[in-house]
Amino acid sequence: MMLCSIHTLGRVVRRFIIFLVLVALAAAGAAYWWLHAPLPLRASGTGGEPLELEIEPGTTPRGVAAAAVKAGVQTDARLLYYWFRLSGQDRQIKAGNYEIPAGTTPYQLLQKLARGESSLRAVTVVEGWTFRQMRAALAKADALRPDTAAMSNEELMKALGREGVPAEGRFFPDTYTYAKGSSDLAVLNRALHAMDRRLEAAWSQRESDTPLKSAGEALILASIVEKETGSAQDRAEIAGVFANRLRIGMLLQTDPTVIYGMGERFDGNLRKRDLQADTPWNTYTRAGLPPTPISLPGKAALLAAVQPARTKALYFVAKGDGSSHFSTSLDEHNRAVNRYQRGQRPAKGEEE
């Protein structure tokens, strides 16, 4: 009886082991099939365009899986995450912008991410450009979808969640990479948040005696400094001149603000009547800062605006070589204007 029971138990154990082996083989087969089967992509129903997947630096493997699903990969994020972990390549995934074309399998997706095979184009936004120039550059950018082409600046800012905020100056000038077929709105969103970060960082480093009342005013002043600076070494000194003028209530009298206020009417030649024609941006007719920035300032201009040079200068004039001559008095300034702008030699006994 005991021998019979042992024999029966042995058969049960063998059958159970065989069952487990079959289950394991079935699971392995299903896993192999899943790894090498094309992932359903939401974009495949709209013309077969590849999905754009952006992986930010520091994103965890679980976050990468979630980002892939959010981008339009139609599978369970947990399956992708477990695949990343089991493969042993989860820590090799690299940040970047990726194109995921139709037919991509989970295996291919991981290889692309682990090797950092991002497929990118680039568009450069230059320091000192106006927002109008930035939009023109985005419109010409290779393979960038022009979703904002028909939008006004106001509509564009609303689409970015900044309704009522002027667009000028709010986008950080830099080189932005993007995947083929990306929306220009996505690039603008990145540039907007980049400026948010840069401006916040600069404002946190402001001098205690700054005449500026807010980060917004710092952005406006930085945009003026950016347009006035011909030589990088003069940037802080130029900011110092404007800071001094703001402190004593003196008109800023800076030509770039007048030119900005003229808009497309400016023909490259600034005349006396232009300086006298009042606009909200004419700092010859209106005191204080203009109502908005006049350009897209870079990091150095932002820092100069909040950390200007300690100077007594109230005037400066371009010397013709990219640099500026700074003066503490109007008489000295007028002599510098005669010398550098009108080509007159200093009178005998006057400073060179």
Side-chain angles (χ1 to χ4, degrees):
M1 237 356 233
M2 184 175 291
L3 288 175
C4 182
S5 297
I6 292 174
H7 183 67
T8 300
L9 180 60
R11 285 201 309 271
V12 172
V13 170
R14 283 195 299 273
R15 288 174 180 172
F16 183 67
I17 292 174
I18 292 172
F19 172 76
L20 291 179
V21 170
L22 291 174
V23 170
L25 289 173
Y32 182 87
W33 175 85
W34 181 79
L35 287 175
H36 296 278
L39 287 163
L41 305 181
R42 186 169 58 233
S44 62
T46 59
E49 300 90 347
L51 291 180
E52 178 190 357
L53 172 60
E54 181 176 357
I55 305 299
E56 297 285 352
T59 304
T60 64
R62 189 184 297 276
V64 172
V69 171
K70 184 177 180 180
V73 176
Q74 296 185 319
T75 191
D76 192 323
R78 290 171 297 183
L79 288 177
L80 284 178
Y81 169 64
Y82 294 145
W83 160 229
F84 295 162
R85 290 296 304 275
L86 291 172
S87 71
Q89 294 180 283
D90 55 319
R91 297 299 175 184
Q92 298 176 28
I93 295 175
K94 297 174 178 62
N97 284 38
Y98 296 87
E99 288 182 354
I100 307 175
T104 299
T105 67
Y107 177 83
Q108 293 169 335
L109 174 61
L110 178 57
Q111 299 310 304
K112 180 187 288 283
L113 298 177
R115 289 195 291 259
E117 294 177 354
S118 53
S119 180
L120 303 175
R121 275 74 171 172
V123 59
T124 297
V125 180
V126 179
E127 295 174 351
W129 271 4
T130 62
F131 185 54
R132 178 166 56 88
Q133 290 173 302
M134 179 182 181
R135 293 195 68 173
L138 293 179
K140 295 177 182 177
D142 178 47
L144 187 62
R145 196 170 71 246
D147 289 344
T148 66
M151 295 183 186
S152 65
N153 286 354
E154 292 74 19
E155 291 169 336
L156 187 152
M157 293 303 286
K158 182 177 180 180
L160 290 170
R162 301 292 175 87
E163 185 174 7
V165 177
E168 193 63 75
R170 290 289 171 177
F171 301 86
F172 189 71
D174 202 349
T175 295
Y176 293 94
T177 56
Y178 58 91
K180 178 182 177 181
S182 298
S183 170
D184 59 356
L185 195 63
V187 175
L188 285 163
N189 189 57
R190 289 167 58 198
L192 176 69
H193 286 93
M195 181 59 85
D196 288 343
R197 294 191 297 270
R198 294 290 189 178
L199 179 58
E200 181 181 2
W203 186 242
S204 70
Q205 300 174 62
R206 65 190 181 278
E207 297 288 356
S208 58
D209 62 346
T210 179
L212 303 171
K213 299 179 178 62
S214 66
E217 288 195 354
L219 184 62
I220 294 172
L221 180 57
S223 74
I224 298 173
V225 171
E226 189 69 77
K227 296 297 286 186
E228 283 281 19
T229 302
S231 176
Q233 65 185 15
D234 291 341
R235 189 177 283 113
E237 192 85 5
I238 289 172
V241 169
F242 289 132
N244 289 342
R245 289 190 169 207
L246 287 171
R247 287 192 184 96
I248 64 176
M250 184 177 176
L251 292 173
L252 296 185
Q253 295 185 318
T254 169
D255 293 354
T257 62
V258 178
I259 293 170
Y260 183 84
M262 293 175 66
E264 296 184 8
R265 292 187 293 107
F266 180 63
D267 61 4
N269 186 20
L270 191 63
R271 302 168 178 83
K272 183 177 180 180
R273 65 173 181 268
D274 299 324
L275 302 180
Q276 296 171 340
D278 184 53
T279 75
W281 290 271
N282 189 335
T283 52
Y284 283 82
T285 61
R286 300 196 183 195
L289 293 165
T292 71
I294 62 169
S295 71
L296 308 177
K299 178 182 178 182
L302 289 168
L303 288 175
V306 298
Q307 296 180 349
R310 298 286 180 175
T311 178
K312 294 182 180 180
L314 288 171
Y315 307 89
F316 64 92
V317 63
K319 294 168 64 175
D321 61 358
S323 63
S324 297
H325 178 93
F326 296 88
S327 305
T328 58
S329 70
L330 183 58
D331 285 344
E332 181 188 355
H333 175 63
N334 288 336
R335 290 195 297 270
V337 170
N338 287 334
R339 177 180 180 184
Y340 295 112
Q341 299 292 309
R342 298 168 184 162
Q344 298 178 12
R345 297 291 299 170
K348 187 176 180 179
E350 292 183 349
E351 291 185 3
E352 286 290 325

